[in-house]
């Protein structure tokens, strides 16, 4: 053996020792993910499950072996690539400048600082590196994953796939719950057993991305997802655009879950030295069913993600379903009076206030021309703000700044700002098109829409409004002073998916469109947030077409659905509550399903961020009185309504009732919402057992929000029970009555 060969073997041996010793443990309070470098230098997952008590046990975990090739055993590679020995769905695919479509990523180094772990992987043949990031939210038991991809190649390099995460599971059976959607049918939960092969849940709609599928999933490991028992993986992607989750059961019955931005129609040209950051994937692994997983996600949203999570929220009166486009100054001022009479905090002016050459009289024209329609609202927005304030309510306004009607001055002036194919027939969705947010000029325009409105609505420069800097600050108006305060609330709508997939700005790099669009949107939202940190904003997309957790780092709330039929809402809110906090879920009382009483409709909206979109004149005195009193009760109890400690007690999916409960952190105060839908004749009604209380404590049970002059007929009303009794025996809060609801306050004595 030559000296050279000997030193090669010695070096290889030491490299093997160093690399194979690398074990990286990522831990929350209850979950542990263990990664290990195998003797081929590849990073593999060796464990994902309940947190192990002894760190010494990590060495016992089955170590991925080097086989004929240096792959991971069973292919459990942490970030598998396209074109090697793993034949299943990869996370990463790159086409190098020389056309080679493969890569092998090997471990180089890692660092663990505080709650963040980063692991650097490199290709030995090409100057390509991928850094995997893991951030833990220990108390909430949430793990966040993303990757950063870079290269130093000369020539054109394309990313074919750029997922955020791959997770592996081994269980006898797997059951997926997904959240299918459509307009007015958001978050329909449906489950299926996963068998050998692939199931993909994805979106390719670009803007109104979640119209048909929502970016959430649950997987029951070993058994179907249950509310309070069993091991459940719950995941979501923070990305306001195309997403993709792939669930693949391989030949060894391992479940592989790949999560990330949808790479379909998105082969991304990555420039030399530029870092491509994937979307953030968040997951929790609950061993107490989906209920515990939901509480973790809601706690995490409230502690780390939701914009202005600690700030209050405003109850509101919206005019959309009351007037549609048919309003003028006089009508609006009368509605401010109705808002005052109702006792809500804010009046929200919806679609139809803008456009002059092409006034926005319906949804065929005007979108893009964000100047107030002079003959409809001659005194402009500042006048409306002033009049609303005189009535003691704040003022908010609707915009849809990413979109344009072809019949608009904007489309006439800037056809090159619109996503549309140069030489093909244009396809319209709601008579409109999407602006090209990949283009920085368009980003400036969209930011300007917000900025101009904020400035125009704050006429007093001495209050900082003149330059727009402080115009967004929410200062509740002084009742009766008539002092104009700024607009403090925007409803940001987005009614069309991307229908014509071509960016005039990107020219030959059309594969970058979907990703760059979302990044362009985030650049605009970053600017809005920086300049108007106190502005409240509702994320809306023709209902719940936008509803992701990254979006909610910019928006204070979101519009769950245009469907406000309270029965449908029980299902929609049940679905969103799997991940989303009540404080962010806009729930309005409307005319949908007039067979239900106003009380029933209010009691359903009470569960979320309450608002009204209804003409009050059409209501009876009793109904109006009920609404007023319910709003006052809501304001008194909103901290409990918005508590992330949610217990879903009776599912509307399992019968004709729905019961949910919220409990505050110190278990002194709780609210139970109970609804009977269409119970069967003579149906057996059992007591509902409460959860989350202190067993030792005593609680008074009291039905609140009763119709004027009515008494509670619940047998538990105004009685005192121990927490133990309420949780073990329970109380009857459902009945065989049709469309009846109860709101019950539980107070520690
Ligand atoms: C769709 C939204 O979901 C509605 O609430 C309303 O704002 C309309 N757009 C206005 O065009």
């Amino acid at each position: 053996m030559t000296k050279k060969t000997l030193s090669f073997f010695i070096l290889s041996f030491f490299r093997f020792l160093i690399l194979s010793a690398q074990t990286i443990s990522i831990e929350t309070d209850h979950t542990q993910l263990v990664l290990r470098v195998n003797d081929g230098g590849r990073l593999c997952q060796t464990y994902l499950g309940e947190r192990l008590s002894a760190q010494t046990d990590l060495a016992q975990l089955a170590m991925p072996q080097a086989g004929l090739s240096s792959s991971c055993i069973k292919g459990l590679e942490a970030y598998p690539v396209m074109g090697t020995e793993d034949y299943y769905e990869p996370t990463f695919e790159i086409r190098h400048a020389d056309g080679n479509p493969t890569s092998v990523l090997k471990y180089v180094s890692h660092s663990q600082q505080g709650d963040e772990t980063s692991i650097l992987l490199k290709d030995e043949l090409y100057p390509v590196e991928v850094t995997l990031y893991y951030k833990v939210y220990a108390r909430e038991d949430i793990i966040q994953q993303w990757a950063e991809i870079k290269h130093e190649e000369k020539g054109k390099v394309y990313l074919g796939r750029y997922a955020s995460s791959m997770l592996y599971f081994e269980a006898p059976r797997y059951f997926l719950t997904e959240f299918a959607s459509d307009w007015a049918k958001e978050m329909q939960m449906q489950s299926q057993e996963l068998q050998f092969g692939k199931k993909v849940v994805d979106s390719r709609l670009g803007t109104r991305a979640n119209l048909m599928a929502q970016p959430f999933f649950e997987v029951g490991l070993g058994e179907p997802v249950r509310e309070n028992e069993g091991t459940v993986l719950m995941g979501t992607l923070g990305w306001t655009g195309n997403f993709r989750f792939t669930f693949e059961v391989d030949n060894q019955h391992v479940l592989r879950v790949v999560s990330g931005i949808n790479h379909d129609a998105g082969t991304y040209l990555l420039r030399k030295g530029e870092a491509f950051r994937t979307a953030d994937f968040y997951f929790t692994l609950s061993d107490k069913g989906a209920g515990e997983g939901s509480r973790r996600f809601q706690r995490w949203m409230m502690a780390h993600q939701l914009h202005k999570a600690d700030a209050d929220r405003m109850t509101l009166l919206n005019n959309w379903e009351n007037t549609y486009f048919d309003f003028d100054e006089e009508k609006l001022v009368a509605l401010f009076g109705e808002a005052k009479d109702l006792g809500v905090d804010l009046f929200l002016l919806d679609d139809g206030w803008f456009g002059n050459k092409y006034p926005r009289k319906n949804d065929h024209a005007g979108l893009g021309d964000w100047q107030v329609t002079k003959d409809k609202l001659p005194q402009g927005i500042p006048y409306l703000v002033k009049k609303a304030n005189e009535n003691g309510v704040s003022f908010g306004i609707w915009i849809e700044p990413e979109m344009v009607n072809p019949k608009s001055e904007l489309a006439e002036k800037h056809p090159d700002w619109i996503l549309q194919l140069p030489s093909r027939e244009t396809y319209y969705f709601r008579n409109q098109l999407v602006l090209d947010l990949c283009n920085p000029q368009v980003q400036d325009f969209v930011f300007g829409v917000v900025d101009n409105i904020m400035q125009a609505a704050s006429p007093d420069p001495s209050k900082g409004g003149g330059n727009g800097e402080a115009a967004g600050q929410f200062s509740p108006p002084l009742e009766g002073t008539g002092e104009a305060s700024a607009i403090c609330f925007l409803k940001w709508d987005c009614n069309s998916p991307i229908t014509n997939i071509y960016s005039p700005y990107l020219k030959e790099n059309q594969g970058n469109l979907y990703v760059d669009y979302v990044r362009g949107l985030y650049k605009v939202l970053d600017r809005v947030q920086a300049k108007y940190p106190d502005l409240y904003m509702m994320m809306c997309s023709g209902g719940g077409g936008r509803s992701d957790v990254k979006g909610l780092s910019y928006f204070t709330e979101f519009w769950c659905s245009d469907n406000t039929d309270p029965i449908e809402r029980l299902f929609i809110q049940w679905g969103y509550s799997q991940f989303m906090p009540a404080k962010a879920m806009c729930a309005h009382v409307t005319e949908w399903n007039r067979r239900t009483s106003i009380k029933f409709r209010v009691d359903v909206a009470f569960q979320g961020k309450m608002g009204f979109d209804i003409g009050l004149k059409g209501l009876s005195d009793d109904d109006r009185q009920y609404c007023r009193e319910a709003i006052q009760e809501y304001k008194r109890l909103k901290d409990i309504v918005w508590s992330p400690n949610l217990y879903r007690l009776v599912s509307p999916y399992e019968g004709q009732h729905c019961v949910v409960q919220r409990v505050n952190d110190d278990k002194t105060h709780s609210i139970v919402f109970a609804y009977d839908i269409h119970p069967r004749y003579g149906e057996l009604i059992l007591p509902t057992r409460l959860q989350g209380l202190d067993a030792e404590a005593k609680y008074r049970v009291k039905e609140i929000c009763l119709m004027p002059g009515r008494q509670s007929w619940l047998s538990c009303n105004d009685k005192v029970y121990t927490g133990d009794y309420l949780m073990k025996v329970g109380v009857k809060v459902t009945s065989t009555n049709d469309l009846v609801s109860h709101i019950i306050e539980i107070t520690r004595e």
Side-chain angles (χ1 to χ4, degrees):
M1 193 183 288
T2 65
K3 249 182 162 179
K4 213 171 156 194
T5 326
L6 184 66
S7 63
F8 172 78
F9 277 116
I10 293 171
L11 272 176
S12 302
F13 177 70
F14 280 114
R15 187 166 175 274
F16 160 74
L17 277 186
I18 292 162
L19 292 184
S20 60
Q22 293 298 356
T23 296
I24 305 164
S25 174
I26 292 152
E27 295 150 38
T28 67
D29 281 1
H30 296 98
T31 305
Q32 189 161 16
L33 170 65
V34 183
L35 303 169
R36 205 155 170 191
V37 180
N38 74 5
D39 54 6
R42 312 268 284 271
L43 183 73
C44 302
Q45 177 188 313
T46 54
Y47 181 74
L48 174 53
E50 216 176 317
R51 189 177 164 152
L52 301 170
S53 327
Q55 292 302 305
T56 45
D57 283 346
L58 300 192
Q60 312 290 336
L61 294 166
M63 178 57 188
Q65 302 294 323
L68 284 177
S69 69
S70 56
S71 70
C72 295
I73 191 167
K74 287 187 176 175
L76 305 189
E77 194 166 6
Y79 201 66
V81 296
M82 177 77 174
T84 54
E85 70 287 349
D86 189 327
Y87 304 119
Y88 295 95
E89 174 119 346
T91 47
F92 180 62
E93 180 183 350
I94 189 164
R95 202 168 80 231
H96 301 282
D98 63 5
N100 185 340
T102 68
S103 239
V104 175
L105 297 174
K106 295 204 173 175
Y107 170 90
V108 177
S109 62
H110 76 274
S111 92
Q112 291 195 289
Q113 274 166 2
D115 49 17
E116 203 170 294
T117 301
S118 63
I119 308 169
L120 177 64
L121 310 174
K122 275 190 181 170
D123 190 316
E124 284 173 343
L125 287 184
Y126 291 89
V128 171
E129 60 180 56
V130 174
T131 310
L132 304 181
Y133 290 90
Y134 301 80
K135 181 168 175 180
V136 295
Y137 300 88
R139 281 182 51 205
E140 293 85 9
D141 281 300
I142 301 278
I143 299 180
Q144 174 184 358
Q145 278 183 272
W146 71 98
E148 213 170 79
I149 303 157
K150 267 192 205 160
H151 75 85
E152 291 295 335
E153 292 188 35
K154 285 194 197 112
K156 290 197 167 172
V157 170
Y158 291 92
L159 301 181
R161 286 164 199 264
Y162 30 83
S164 309
S165 154
M166 164 69 100
L167 298 173
Y168 301 90
F169 298 90
E170 252 184 326
R173 298 172 78 185
Y174 308 104
F175 295 84
L176 171 71
T177 297
E178 61 179 311
F179 299 84
S181 279
D182 201 342
W183 178 77
K185 281 183 77 178
E186 288 85 348
M187 294 299 270
Q188 307 296 306
M189 294 173 71
Q190 39 198 55
S191 303
Q192 60 184 271
E193 182 162 7
L194 296 168
Q195 306 283 4
F196 173 78
K198 260 186 228 181
K199 155 83 187 171
V200 174
V201 177
D202 72 344
S203 157
R204 284 184 289 122
L205 299 176
T207 35
R208 196 173 169 176
N210 308 342
L211 180 62
M212 266 103 112
Q214 299 276 341
F216 309 102
F217 69 81
E218 299 176 356
V219 177
L221 298 170
E223 57 176 334
V225 175
R226 289 194 286 158
E227 187 61 28
N228 297 309
E229 298 87 17
T231 306
V232 181
L233 166 73
M234 292 172 65
T236 187
L237 196 75
W239 184 248
T240 316
N242 295 347
F243 63 87
R244 177 178 167 117
F245 302 118
T246 308
F247 306 89
E248 186 167 28
V249 179
D250 71 16
N251 58 333
Q252 306 203 48
H253 202 67
V254 170
L255 172 68
R256 298 149 171 260
V257 181
V258 186
S259 307
I261 298 173
N262 197 347
H263 56 270
D264 265 5
T267 300
Y268 197 91
L269 172 73
L270 183 63
R271 291 186 178 79
K272 183 179 168 189
E274 196 183 307
F276 182 101
R277 192 195 197 280
T278 68
D280 296 315
F281 172 65
Y282 301 92
F283 75 93
T284 192
L285 194 60
S286 162
D287 59 351
K288 293 189 194 69
E292 173 61 18
S294 298
R295 288 186 287 280
R296 289 177 182 178
F297 260 106
Q298 293 195 24
R299 286 177 193 138
W300 169 76
M301 284 293 289
M302 296 296 285
H304 303 283
Q305 189 73 2
L306 176 64
H307 182 43
K308 291 166 75 64
D310 291 337
D312 201 359
R313 295 291 186 271
M314 287 173 274
T315 54
L316 60 82
L317 178 65
N318 190 188
N319 70 311
W320 175 241
E321 297 197 6
N322 187 7
T323 65
Y324 292 104
F325 296 95
D326 180 18
F327 57 83
D328 57 19
E329 255 169 22
E330 208 186 324
K331 252 194 198 176
L332 292 181
V333 173
L335 291 180
F336 300 157
E338 292 193 9
K340 179 185 180 175
D341 177 51
L342 201 55
V344 292
D345 305 305
L346 175 95
F347 180 84
L348 171 60
L349 173 60
D350 216 285
D351 195 355
W353 59 267
F354 49 87
N356 284 298
K357 183 172 176 189
Y358 302 105
R360 179 81 170 166
K361 288 186 191 142
N362 52 42
D363 61 14
H364 287 259
L367 208 52
D369 301 345
W370 298 102
Q371 297 80 33
V372 73
T373 310
K374 287 198 189 100
D375 52 5
K376 197 173 188 179
L377 303 169
Q379 301 179 76
I381 301 300
Y383 171 78
L384 296 175
V385 176
K386 181 167 164 278
K387 290 313 253 185
N389 291 180
E390 278 172 11
N391 280 281
V393 285
S394 299
F395 187 83
I397 199 161
W398 179 97
I399 53 172
E400 194 180 2
E402 299 158 74
M403 307 276 159
V404 62
N405 280 130
K407 230 173 155 191
S408 67
E409 291 183 72
L410 179 69
E412 285 172 355
K413 258 188 244 154
H414 294 292
D416 55 322
W417 282 9
I418 301 173
L419 294 176
Q420 57 187 332
L421 289 143
S423 47
R424 286 189 198 277
E425 198 184 337
T426 303
Y427 175 67
Y428 300 93
F429 195 105
R430 207 197 188 201
N431 318 303
Q432 65 193 57
L433 294 169
V434 181
L435 292 176
D436 185 1
L437 267 173
C438 306
N439 182 342
Q441 278 185 309
V442 178
Q443 293 164 20
D444 288 345
F445 169 80
V446 175
F447 172 71
V449 172
V450 175
D451 204 25
N452 293 338
I453 289 172
M454 296 302 290
Q455 293 191 41
S458 191
D460 182 353
S462 67
K463 293 197 174 119
N467 62 10
E469 287 301 332
Q473 287 178 13
F474 171 41
S475 45
L478 303 170
E479 191 165 352
T481 61
E483 192 183 320
S485 76
I487 285 179
C488 55
F489 188 97
L490 291 181
K491 175 177 178 182
W492 182 308
D493 210 342
C494 162
N495 283 291
S496 174
I498 295 177
T499 47
N500 307 283
I501 310 162
Y502 185 86
S503 155
Y505 177 78
L506 290 174
K507 300 199 174 70
E508 71 276 13
N509 302 325
Q510 294 300 320
N512 292 24
L513 197 168
Y514 285 123
V515 168
D516 285 358
Y517 184 96
V518 178
R519 289 182 179 163
L521 175 66
Y522 291 157
K523 280 186 190 154
V524 173
L525 292 170
D526 279 332
R527 288 166 72 183
V528 170
Q529 197 166 72
K531 191 158 179 182
Y532 301 110
D534 295 318
L535 182 62
Y536 288 75
M537 292 209 294
M538 182 200 293
M539 172 162 69
C540 173
S541 183
R546 268 183 179 168
S547 47
D548 67 291
V549 299
K550 171 74 178 177
L552 282 174
S553 69
Y554 294 106
F555 290 85
T556 47
E557 51 223 78
F558 74 104
W559 185 227
C560 303
S561 176
D562 279 347
N563 190 339
T564 44
D565 171 340
I567 298 172
E568 293 302 324
R569 272 290 176 133
L570 287 178
F571 289 87
I572 292 168
Q573 292 174 186
W574 185 273
Y576 277 123
S577 79
Q578 306 287 320
F579 290 83
M580 295 297 204
K583 196 172 198 172
M585 285 164 53
C586 298
H588 295 179
V589 177
T590 72
E591 295 267 298
W592 283 62
N593 197 349
R594 283 187 235 170
R595 286 175 303 125
T596 58
S597 65
I598 279 288
K599 173 172 165 54
F600 195 90
R601 286 180 249 169
V602 170
D603 290 2
V604 172
F606 207 112
Q607 270 191 62
K609 208 232 90 179
M610 196 200 246
F612 290 76
D613 192 355
I614 192 167
L616 297 180
K617 290 211 181 83
L619 302 185
S620 70
D621 289 350
D622 275 1
D623 281 350
R624 258 200 310 270
Q625 186 55 20
Y626 182 77
C627 294
R628 286 188 204 106
E629 285 174 15
I631 290 167
Q632 292 316 311
E633 286 296 69
Y634 182 78
K635 289 183 177 178
R636 180 174 69 85
L637 295 167
K638 58 192 173 186
D639 285 345
I640 306 158
V641 176
W642 298 335
S643 160
N645 307 320
L646 165 72
Y647 298 90
R648 289 180 295 252
L649 306 178
V650 178
S651 169
Y653 281 93
E654 285 164 14
Q656 293 296 332
H657 311 274
C658 174
V659 185
V660 299
Q661 183 195 1
R662 298 265 173 185
V663 185
N664 68 351
D665 283 345
D666 51 14
K667 303 185 178 189
T668 54
H669 216 159
S670 169
I671 302 181
V672 174
F673 300 94
Y675 312 90
D676 299 311
I677 306 171
H678 299 300
R680 301 286 307 275
Y681 171 79
E683 187 185 307
L684 175 65
I685 298 294
L686 295 170
T688 300
R689 280 183 270 175
L690 308 192
Q691 293 182 39
L693 300 173
D694 177 352
E696 310 283 303
K698 286 195 170 151
Y699 295 91
R700 181 169 296 275
V701 174
K702 192 158 174 48
E703 180 169 13
I704 57 166
C705 295
L706 294 156
M707 282 300 284
R710 295 283 179 84
Q711 302 289 320
S712 171
W713 41 261
L714 292 178
S715 58
C716 58
N717 185 48
D718 226 356
K719 293 201 176 130
V720 175
Y721 301 89
T722 61
D724 191 51
Y725 182 96
L726 290 171
M727 293 191 290
K728 287 182 180 157
V729 181
V731 282
K732 280 194 181 170
V733 294
T734 55
S735 72
T736 51
N737 295 299
D738 237 36
L739 297 172
V740 164
S741 55
H742 305 277
I743 301 183
I744 301 147
E745 184 177 359
I746 316 271
T747 316
R748 189 171 175 155
E749 289 273 280

